Amino acid sequence: MARSGKVTVVGAGFYGSTTAQRLAEMDIFDEVVLTDIIEGKPEGLALDMNQSREIEGFETKVVGATTAPDGAGYEAIAGSDVVVITAGLPRKPGMSRMDLIEVNAKIMRSVAENIAKYAPDAVVINVANPLDEMTALAQKVTGFDRSRIMGQAGMLDTARFTNFVAEKLGVPVGSVKTLTLGSHGETMVPVPSACSVDGKPLTELLSAAEIDDLVDRTRKGGAEIVALLKTGSAYYAPSAAAARMAQAVIQDHGSVLPVCAWVDGEYGISGVYLGVQAEIGREGVRKVVETDLTQDELAALTEAAEAVREKQATVADL
Ligand code: APR
């Protein structure tokens, strides 16, 4: 199998370590680098993952590196084609993603400065919360082209929606197509008009009230897991989504995925990082792809854009 390139995962907590493991098991990169500020943790996890190579049958090498905010240790990420940022605190029960903004902004600032210095050509995928704001901050601090910075949320929210629909109807997830746009938070915009099961519109299979229930559960999908776990937030489905995005980049897929991307005129919205569908390739976001929306869905997306725009404008001062 042809392997190429180097991907770095910053932050070796639950989200970061599962992302690194998934990327390594895909066996498509030459190297996966995992970093953290906790001394020895990324090195230990890397050693453990490398020792699974024979059993899982992959050759990708995993390298662990302890880093410090002043940049020590960051040489390990040099030449990365893709960097996934997972460094940051997760939610505790009862917290909103927005409650993390101050502490995670400080972490993001130091991480992004070092990425700009040590991996200036990388495509960056942010997953730290609050998602849309931290993605905007990563772009501001690195100064990278906006197309080279994106956030992971839409793939996860969409996959959650799909799972709920499949369970409700008792059908395989593979026969369900769903879509969510907007922000990764209160103003998430599930798009029932773009949802189908084996090609049949979802609106013909479930009542409006039933769809509303699934939409509501999707919007609160992360909080439902935080409440059950009590310490930490979701990472299996999130890491699956982040790893697929990194794969789309390194393999120059051109696949259209729901991601947090810079929107510049699409849907009549401009100047904000927002959850939309976008074509992903080697340079990051090739273009934002517009979907037909109902009037209500478009109004909700516009509202989401205004809500995150306000926060994104202030994030640089944190
Ligand atoms: N550089 C590198 N790693 C850092 C830094 C930093 N400056 N600051 C913190 N970290 C590391 C922590 O040491 C920890 O190992 O980030 C890791 C975070 O791991 P977890 O606490 O397990 O959190 P996780 O579930 O992985 O979530 C990470 O993703 O979903 C979001 O809201 C979530 O913002 C959070 C992020």
Side-chain angles (χ1 to χ4, degrees):
M1 187 194 277
R3 271 170 228 97
S4 69
K6 171 166 169 177
V7 57
T8 290
V9 181
V10 179
F14 287 111
Y15 199 149
S17 58
T18 43
T19 302
Q21 181 196 13
R22 289 187 189 283
L23 288 167
E25 289 181 358
M26 282 177 176
D27 206 17
I28 57 171
F29 287 94
D30 289 325
E31 190 178 338
V32 175
V33 177
L34 180 62
T35 74
D36 204 287
I37 49 170
I38 301 176
E39 201 178 344
K41 185 175 182 185
E43 289 85 349
L45 290 170
L47 195 55
D48 193 7
M49 285 181 212
N50 281 325
Q51 290 166 2
S52 74
R53 292 195 299 163
E54 187 210 348
I55 305 163
E56 282 297 323
F58 65 92
E59 294 293 339
T60 297
K61 281 195 90 169
V62 187
V63 173
T66 302
T67 57
D70 68 2
Y74 265 93
E75 319 79 62
I77 81 162
S80 295
D81 300 283
V82 187
V83 176
V84 183
I85 305 176
T86 79
L89 296 195
R91 282 191 277 175
K92 294 197 175 77
M95 279 174 101
S96 81
R97 293 186 179 94
M98 202 50 78
D99 294 335
L100 301 168
I101 194 163
E102 294 207 2
V103 58
N104 281 354
K106 288 200 174 66
I107 294 172
M108 175 58 76
R109 184 168 286 283
S110 114
V111 168
E113 277 168 4
N114 285 306
I115 292 171
K117 192 163 165 202
Y118 291 91
D121 299 321
V123 170
V124 174
I125 300 168
N126 169 55
V127 312
N129 277 310
L131 193 279
D132 310 272
E133 289 74 11
M134 290 304 113
T135 305
L137 182 59
Q139 192 281 324
K140 283 198 171 110
V141 175
T142 56
F144 288 3
D145 281 353
R146 291 182 171 117
S147 57
R148 274 210 283 144
I149 307 256
M150 53 187 151
Q152 186 299 114
M155 276 186 85
L156 168 64
D157 296 330
T158 298
R160 284 178 171 155
F161 196 9
T162 292
N163 181 55
F164 294 144
V165 170
E167 281 189 342
K168 175 83 183 168
L169 292 171
V171 297
V173 284
S175 64
V176 180
K177 275 202 167 51
T178 67
L179 179 64
T180 67
L181 303 174
S183 82
H184 188 48
E186 296 303 306
T187 45
M188 184 188 302
V189 184
V191 186
S193 73
C195 301
S196 61
V197 179
D198 281 329
K200 266 200 177 160
L202 186 62
T203 43
E204 287 178 18
L205 299 167
L206 292 173
S207 69
E210 286 171 322
I211 293 175
D212 275 353
D213 281 351
L214 299 183
V215 161
D216 191 51
R217 192 170 174 200
T218 301
R219 204 173 273 130
K220 297 174 184 155
E224 183 177 357
I225 293 174
V226 169
L228 288 165
L229 294 180
K230 293 175 190 73
T231 54
S233 54
Y235 51 95
Y236 286 113
S239 62
R244 290 289 163 195
M245 285 172 67
Q247 180 184 28
V249 172
I250 201 69
Q251 295 185 332
D252 200 24
H253 267 188
S255 37
V256 175
L257 304 174
V259 301
C260 172
W262 182 254
V263 179
D264 194 13
E266 295 84 3
Y267 298 107
I269 297 167
S270 285
V272 67
Y273 269 99
L274 189 66
V276 287
Q277 286 191 292
E279 194 179 300
I280 307 300
R282 191 62 193 81
E283 302 307 315
V285 173
R286 288 187 191 160
K287 63 172 184 195
V288 171
V289 177
E290 285 184 65
T291 313
D292 287 338
L293 300 178
T294 65
Q295 268 191 346
D296 285 354
E297 289 160 354
L298 181 59
L301 187 62
T302 308
E303 197 183 310
E306 291 320 313
V308 292
R309 185 197 309 281
E310 222 173 278
K311 281 280 174 197
Q312 285 178 21
T314 57
V315 89
D317 304 324
L318 291 174

